[in-house]
C-alpha cells in the first residue's frame, strides 16, 4: 500500500504523468499481452488514464489510484525515487 507525504505530492503527480507519456503500456497491470506489438495501447490503459485524469489532487485520492492501478514493481520504483 503506497503512502507518501504531503510535500512529495507534486513529485508523485509528475512521476505518474511522465510514465503515461513515455509508455503506452503503463501501468504494467494494463498491458494487453499482445506479444507482437509491445507498444499497443490496451483498453485497461485507457481506463487507468481516464481514472487518473478524473482523480483530484488530494493525497488520499492519488494514493487510492496508485494502489488500484499500479503493480508492486511500479510502486517500488516510485518509492525509491521519492
Amino acid at each position: 500500500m503506497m503512502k507518501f507525504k504531503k510535500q512529495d505530492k507534486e513529485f508523485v503527480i509528475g512521476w505518474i504523468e511522465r510514465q503515461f507519456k513515455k509508455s503506452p503500456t503503463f501501468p504494467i497491470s494494463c498491458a494487453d499481452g499482445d506479444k507482437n506489438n509491445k507498444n499497443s495501447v490496451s483498453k485497461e490503459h485507457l481506463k487507468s488514464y481516464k481514472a487518473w485524469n478524473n482523480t483530484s489532487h488530494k493525497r488520499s485520492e492519488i494514493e487510492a489510484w496508485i494502489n488500484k492501478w499500479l503493480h508492486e514493481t511500479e510502486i517500488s520504483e516510485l518509492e525509491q525515487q521519492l
Side-chain angles (χ1 to χ4, degrees):
M1 202 131 210
M2 173 76 178
K3 295 272 186 193
F4 58 89
K5 297 176 183 164
K6 186 177 181 178
Q7 65 263 25
D8 295 329
K9 183 169 70 170
E10 291 305 316
F11 177 83
V12 171
I13 291 168
W15 185 88
I16 292 170
E17 290 179 358
R18 284 190 303 277
Q19 302 312 306
F20 272 117
K21 285 180 183 174
K22 75 180 187 181
S23 176
T25 58
F26 174 82
I28 294 171
S29 62
C30 297
D32 65 1
D34 183 355
K35 305 294 184 216
N36 296 325
N37 188 359
K38 293 182 181 178
N39 291 324
S40 66
V41 175
S42 70
K43 288 180 183 178
E44 286 299 306
H45 170 82
L46 295 175
K47 285 181 187 178
S48 69
Y49 186 70
K50 184 176 181 181
W52 172 249
N53 284 327
N54 290 328
T55 299
S56 77
H57 284 193
K58 289 184 179 177
R59 205 167 31 141
S60 61
E61 291 190 28
I62 295 168
E63 289 171 346
W65 184 91
I66 288 170
N67 292 320
K68 177 177 180 177
W69 291 101
L70 297 188
H71 188 271
E72 303 99 35
T73 57
E74 292 166 321
I75 292 172
S76 294
E77 181 183 338
L78 174 56
E79 288 174 332
Q80 287 175 1
Q81 291 189 25
L82 279 177

